[in-house]
Amino acid sequence: MPVFLTDEEYTILTSVCSRLIPSEDGPGATEAGVVDYIDTLLGAFSYDPPRIWAAGPYSGRHGGDPGFAEFLTLSPLEELAWRSRIEGSLGLAEREVNGPVVGLQQRYREGVAALGSGFPELSPSEQDAALHAHAEFAALVFEHACEGMYGAPEYGGNRDLVGWRLIDFAGDVQPRGYTDAEVSEP
Amino acid sequence: MNPGPGTARDFDAIIVGSGPGGSAAALALTETGRSVLVVEKGRNHLIDLDDPRRLIQRYSNDEIKFGPRHFLGPDPIVEPRTFRISEADGDRVFVGEVNSVPATVGGGAVHADGKVPRFLEEDFRLLSERGPVEGAEVVDWPLCYDDLEPFYEQAEGLIGVSGAAGSNPFAAPRSAPYPMPPGPAMYVARLTSAAAERAGLHPYPAPTAANSVPYGGRPACNNCGFCSFFGCPIHAKGDPVAMLQRALLSGRAQIWPETCATRVVIEHGRATGVELLDQAGRRWVEPAASVVVAAGAIETPRLLLLSGVEHPLLGRYAMFHFQTYVAGHFPQRLHVHRGRAVTHVHDDHLVSDLASRAAAAAAGLPWIRGGMVEHAGASLPIEEAKLYPWGSGHGASMAASPMRDHLGALVMQGEDLPQSGNRVDLDPAVRDARGLPVARVTYGPHRHELAASDHYSGILTEVLKGAGAEWTVTATSPMPATPLTPYGDLISPIPASRHVMGTARMGRDPADAVCDPWGRLFAAPNVLVADSSVFPTSAGYGPTLTIVALALRNAAAFSAGT
Ligand SMILES: Cc1cc2nc3c(=O)[nH]c(=O)nc-3n(C[C@H](O)[C@H](O)[C@H](O)COP(=O)(O)OP(=O)(O)OC[C@H]3O[C@@H](n4cnc5c(N)ncnc54)[C@H](O)[C@@H]3O)c2cc1C
Ligand code: SF4
């Protein structure tokens, strides 16, 4: 169940992500659950604490406790920043010191609507053409898709570490780290 | 947090900012018996303030948190800066992130990867040694290397620096070895430093503020690779933690995080306190006998301008290192994500030689000077993923990794000449979330930086080829502006260097300098400026060790009233 996106938006955005980072010889955005990363960001404030910063210091993947599973609380200034970024300024004076801010929620809602409910049925080349025609929105989703593909799985993406496995990357390695030989030798 | 407005706390000094400069000042003042309050506008993720021996563990190997999500602040949506190249651009051309370093307890050093060399003797005497350059205000410092040497030694011991004395033939004399031996060399740096040696250069293990062995009660670095732009999850970095711990343990220091200084109250040439604003929205003036400003070389002039300090040079001579990146593609994988980001450096391009003199003459300049070159490669997958175009082939590019795991880089932190038009002032319209005018940076490189970059990038290209690179690319930051250069992007006229200097230069004569030779404001001598704002020239080295050494020296003198 998505936390912010509607089911239809979720379906459209899943197709968008699968064109931006396609599953070709290996896994892509679909296998990594990139759309869940984006939905978690857009709905970050439906959780308490909000899903902005994983706590750490370790994930438990290389020793230590799984501290990435917890999230940190925000200070009032940080909450102001993140609510403005995600929800937009919504006409609130404290969010409009330098004028109105369009939030990510609105940009996604409008971007997905502009691509239309028929997007998932288009052929891959038609989908690419539609994304090129909405280049600004495609660039926004691509940025988040990269984060959801190659960031820590606790943020909702990189499911089963498919992103890191694809590139043979260990991800967070504390508290184990790397040995001197792993640093210095070929 | 802070206890809020109260009465008669009577601090000897309020220190604005808890980065390397503010922390060193806090230590020097408490060690000479003074009581200090450190106010820091950012959050505390470093030290348990109730039990300073305990460190907080909230830093992590998390590219999302420290990259696109601004964990250590400042978040440009609530604390932007603005930028323009010159007045001809109008009020500004960009609003957002301009040279930000973390706003958090510990300041920028929390996520620096910490190359902390000393300056050369020549860096303090640039005008005498090299002479004037048209269009720039090259000057000597009002102190020399020997004045600072004992404080360099103290700073290295406090921060914890690993390095190899005697390995750099250009280094100034030192009275003691480094506190720790160098850590392990990164594979890519072994390749490039061997090639540099074959090319007649003199690479050496980078003096680094990271523990190579357990030191100061903190563990040795375990090479996790999430170093530059990240806090250290195990506290192996030589950030200001040790200085802050010692100051707190003296019982004479307090740190109030999430408390912003909005104005230094100055009456008749003397500071009487600092106006504070906290996250609960409380605003009050906290009185103090003196004030230390160490908010970083962009926020310090901003605060002094907000405080009504009047000096025609305040904010002027802003300097950033002019960075030249030469990257080479190697056939083999370099595993650049293991290690401390940079393990070797060379200083040859700071020293005058026949080739650089010829290059200077050809460019119509009396001389050129480059900077320290970092042998580096570190970058991480999200950053890499955003470099390849979206669509078919993206996964294949990531798996092959031409832009990360096969890339070795040499980065020169080039000397940036002081120009009076390069400055920090208050933006006439843009405000932060607290309602205060933000800092506006006006900056364009001097011809000197472009000529030096041009000359030395050729040498660096040959080194990379000699190390086995199949092809190389060169880029600079700032990128000289063209109508197509995007602001705030990877390639941008906004300097990417996080080394910011100048803006309240020190000197002997109040007509030529904002601060006296001991870092005190000429306009209010009980205000000490304890960060790189006071640097008269930029040198070709990261500023942090010199910030700490100078703050230790100047704060001790400030305390003694000399
Ligand atoms: C990724 C990265 C890598 C770096 N690598 C190196 C390196 O290898 N070598 C090197 O020498 N340097 C390096 N640096 C630069 C280094 O971080 C700075 O030189 C150093 O932190 C400057 O110290 P400072 O004390 O002058 O200021 P800062 O560290 O900027 O500290 C100033 C503090 O003051 C606070 N503050 C500002 N305004 C106010 C206010 N009004 N009220 C209260 N608090 C306020 C800020 O929040 C901040 O915490 C690097 C920086 C970055 C970001
Ligand atoms: S590389 Fe070393 S110093 Fe840097 S963050 Fe990792 S453990 Fe800490």
Side-chain angles (χ1 to χ4, degrees), chain B residues 17 19-21 40-41 101 103-104 107-109 111-113 115 261 295 498 531 542-544:
Chain B
E40 167 56 57
K41 69 176 177 171
V101 303
T104 187
H111 82 171
D113 46 314
K115 277 77 61 192
R498 300 304 206 262
D531 59 27
T544 305

Side-chain angles (χ1 to χ4, degrees), chain B residues 28 106 188 239 289 316 351 390 418 443 488 538 559-560:
Chain B
V188 62
D239 54 34
R316 293 195 181 271
V351 181
W390 61 260
Y443 177 87
S538 68
S559 179

Side-chain angles (χ1 to χ4, degrees), chain B residues 324-326 412 452-462 474-476:
Chain B
T324 305
Y325 308 87
V326 186
M412 186 172 81
S453 174
D454 217 41
H455 172 63
Y456 292 115
S457 62
I459 298 175
L460 300 181
T461 301
E462 289 312 308
T474 301
T476 65

Side-chain angles (χ1 to χ4, degrees), chain A residues 174, chain B residues 61 210-211 220-227 230-237 339-340:
Chain A
Q174 288 288 8
Chain B
N61 289 174
N211 290 355
C221 162
N222 64 16
N223 307 307
C224 74
F226 289 75
C227 204
F230 293 84
C232 180
I234 59 168
H235 290 294
K237 272 189 193 177
R340 290 152 290 139

Side-chain angles (χ1 to χ4, degrees), chain A:
Chain A
M1 268 294 285
V3 289
F4 172 75
L5 298 167
T6 64
D7 290 342
E8 186 184 34
E9 288 169 337
Y10 186 92
T11 309
I12 298 169
L13 199 54
T14 304
S15 313
V16 170
C17 292
S18 78
R19 279 320 296 157
L20 297 175
I21 304 186
S23 319
E24 291 172 318
D25 298 330
T30 308
E31 291 77 10
V34 158
V35 69
D36 294 319
Y37 169 82
I38 296 173
D39 181 55
T40 309
L41 171 62
L42 297 175
F45 284 96
S46 5
Y47 301 88
D48 185 22
R51 296 260 168 114
I52 304 293
W53 296 315
Y58 312 130
S59 68
R61 284 183 277 275
H62 299 273
D65 293 328
F68 279 38
E70 318 235 315
F71 280 74
L72 296 170
T73 54
L74 308 190
S75 73
L77 187 68
E78 291 164 348
E79 177 159 348
L80 177 68
W82 280 98
R83 283 200 184 268
S84 305
R85 176 171 288 119
I86 291 173
E87 299 167 354
S89 53
L90 307 174
L92 298 166
E94 73 268 23
R95 298 191 194 175
E96 297 202 334
V97 181
N98 297 305
V101 180
V102 181
L104 289 172
Q105 291 180 340
Q106 185 184 339
R107 292 175 70 190
Y108 269 91
R109 195 132 272 168
E110 291 174 357
V112 168
L115 291 172
S117 53
F119 184 86
E121 312 323 321
L122 301 177
S123 71
S125 58
E126 287 168 337
Q127 288 181 333
D128 285 357
L131 289 171
H132 283 297
H134 297 88
E136 205 179 307
F137 181 58
L140 174 71
V141 185
F142 177 57
E143 252 190 52
H144 291 145
C146 293
E147 295 164 18
M149 185 82 197
Y150 297 107
E154 287 80 0
Y155 292 91
N158 193 5
R159 191 187 296 147
D160 301 326
L161 307 184
V162 295
W164 289 347
R165 285 185 220 278
L166 172 71
I167 60 171
D168 194 19
F169 180 63
D172 57 281
V173 287
Q174 288 288 8
R176 182 184 83 87
Y178 291 105
T179 63
D180 289 5
E182 285 173 312
V183 173
S184 300
E185 299 306 320

Side-chain angles (χ1 to χ4, degrees), chain B residues 106-131:
Chain B
V110 165
H111 82 171
D113 46 314
K115 277 77 61 192
V116 287
R118 299 180 178 196
F119 287 4
L120 302 180
E121 291 167 289
E122 184 182 67
D123 288 311
F124 299 88
R125 299 172 36 80
L126 204 57
L127 181 63
S128 302
E129 299 284 340
R130 297 282 184 115

Side-chain angles (χ1 to χ4, degrees), chain B residues 80-437:
Chain B
R81 287 175 179 157
T82 64
F83 182 84
R84 57 182 184 170
I85 296 172
S86 71
E87 284 174 19
D89 281 343
D91 282 345
R92 70 193 72 76
V93 284
F94 179 80
V95 182
E97 193 167 336
V98 179
N99 294 98
S100 59
V101 303
T104 187
V105 170
V110 165
H111 82 171
D113 46 314
K115 277 77 61 192
V116 287
R118 299 180 178 196
F119 287 4
L120 302 180
E121 291 167 289
E122 184 182 67
D123 288 311
F124 299 88
R125 299 172 36 80
L126 204 57
L127 181 63
S128 302
E129 299 284 340
R130 297 282 184 115
V133 179
E134 200 188 323
E137 272 72 29
V138 176
V139 288
D140 289 348
W141 288 41
L143 69 160
C144 66
Y145 174 83
D146 290 3
D147 295 328
L148 210 52
E149 201 285 333
F151 300 96
Y152 270 140
E153 189 195 336
Q154 192 190 351
E156 287 171 344
L158 285 166
I159 297 174
V161 181
S162 24
S167 60
N168 174 18
F170 306 112
R174 29 184 321 129
S175 55
Y178 288 97
M180 286 176 276
M186 288 169 76
Y187 171 53
V188 62
R190 283 179 52 207
L191 300 176
T192 55
S193 59
E197 241 163 58
R198 291 194 294 274
L201 304 172
H202 302 83
Y204 63 101
T208 304
N211 290 355
S212 58
V213 293
Y215 185 86
R218 292 173 292 113
C221 162
N222 64 16
N223 307 307
C224 74
F226 289 75
C227 204
S228 185
F229 287 105
F230 293 84
C232 180
I234 59 168
H235 290 294
K237 272 189 193 177
D239 54 34
V241 62
M243 296 186 288
L244 290 174
Q245 277 181 311
R246 267 176 70 167
L248 288 167
L249 288 169
S250 75
R252 287 187 287 276
Q254 293 188 33
I255 300 178
W256 293 356
E258 299 180 42
T259 307
C260 184
T262 53
R263 185 165 59 94
V264 180
V265 183
I266 298 174
E267 287 157 358
H268 311 297
R270 286 196 70 76
T272 55
V274 179
E275 182 185 69
L276 304 177
L277 174 64
D278 72 9
Q279 293 240 13
R282 297 178 297 194
R283 189 191 290 269
W284 74 99
V285 173
E286 187 69 38
S290 64
V291 174
V292 179
V293 185
I298 294 179
E299 295 303 311
T300 286
R302 176 185 180 216
L303 179 63
L304 294 175
L305 289 164
L306 288 170
S307 307
V309 173
E310 281 177 12
H311 192 294
L313 299 184
L314 178 58
R316 293 195 181 271
Y317 306 114
M319 297 171 287
F320 303 88
H321 284 140
F322 191 89
Q323 296 183 324
T324 305
Y325 308 87
V326 186
H329 182 272
F330 288 73
Q332 73 272 42
R333 287 200 172 254
L334 300 168
H335 54 72
V336 291
H337 54 277
R338 302 181 198 159
R340 290 152 290 139
V342 171
T343 57
H344 284 67
V345 292
H346 70 255
D347 292 8
D348 301 72
H349 312 322
L350 281 150
V351 181
S352 176
D353 59 13
L354 288 175
S356 72
R357 283 177 226 172
L365 289 160
W367 48 269
I368 54 171
R369 199 161 188 258
M372 186 181 82
V373 174
E374 303 175 350
H375 292 235
S379 85
L380 288 162
I382 294 175
E383 206 179 334
E384 179 190 17
K386 293 179 181 178
L387 296 175
Y388 305 124
W390 61 260
S392 190
H394 191 271
S397 298
M398 286 298 289
S401 199
M403 296 298 281
R404 185 180 64 85
D405 208 14
H406 289 271
L407 221 53
L410 297 173
V411 181
M412 186 172 81
Q413 307 283 354
E415 170 110 32
D416 183 11
L417 297 186
Q419 303 175 68
S420 89
N422 287 344
R423 65 188 293 205
V424 172
D425 66 355
L426 300 177
D427 190 282
V430 178
R431 300 275 184 277
D432 67 12
R434 298 178 179 95
L436 298 170

